[in-house]
Amino acid sequence: QVQLVESGGGLVQAGGSLRLSCAASGRTFSRYSMGWFRQAPGKEREFVASIGWLSGNTYYADSLKGRFTISRDNAKNTVYLQMNSLKPEDTAVYYCAAGSTHSSESDYPYWGQGTQVTVSS
């Protein structure tokens, strides 16, 4: 069982940056691949990025490559999402999830409550 708590969301101007954090409980965090998803108003939840638990390999939605970076610190049981050059269309609730590196949310059994990111133009 893994419990996830996101933080770091907020209001930022277009072109700015934010770093989201996801703190996980449980001593087996290092054995879980982790992912970030987001859901904009009126839209379905979509894959943002993921990171493998063993290889540390990272995967990104094609549209976000180069602006977003996922990383993890197993010693702190935390996964991060660094978001740069933010755009108004990045406005969404961002969710942390554990259990896979896949882009399908159904492959992730554990989810956080989400953190709101709002990018103003």
Side-chain angles (χ1 to χ4, degrees):
Q1 187 79 10
V2 177
Q3 293 184 329
L4 306 171
V5 179
E6 302 96 334
S7 62
L11 175 64
V12 63
Q13 288 188 333
S17 298
L18 280 176
R19 187 177 79 158
L20 306 182
S21 300
C22 174
S25 65
R27 293 186 292 178
T28 58
F29 168 78
S30 62
R31 296 195 174 194
Y32 283 91
S33 295
M34 302 293 295
W36 285 96
F37 287 75
R38 68 183 184 182
Q39 187 167 20
K43 296 186 177 181
E44 294 185 351
R45 190 152 55 184
E46 64 175 356
F47 173 77
V48 173
S50 62
I51 185 166
W53 73 271
L54 182 61
S55 64
N57 287 345
T58 56
Y59 307 89
Y60 296 92
D62 288 341
S63 62
L64 300 176
K65 286 180 181 178
R67 293 196 300 123
F68 288 17
T69 302
I70 188 171
S71 61
R72 66 190 296 161
D73 185 337
N74 289 338
K76 295 183 178 180
N77 280 11
T78 302
V79 63
Y80 304 97
L81 184 69
Q82 178 68 42
M83 306 185 295
N84 298 327
S85 302
L86 283 162
K87 305 175 181 180
E89 51 263 44
D90 294 319
T91 294
V93 177
Y94 284 72
Y95 297 91
C96 172
S100 177
T101 56
H102 297 166
S103 59
S104 173
E105 59 180 286
S106 63
D107 291 331
Y108 294 78
Y110 305 110
W111 290 82
Q113 294 299 308
T115 185
Q116 176 70 47
V117 171
T118 303
V119 184
S120 63
S121 57

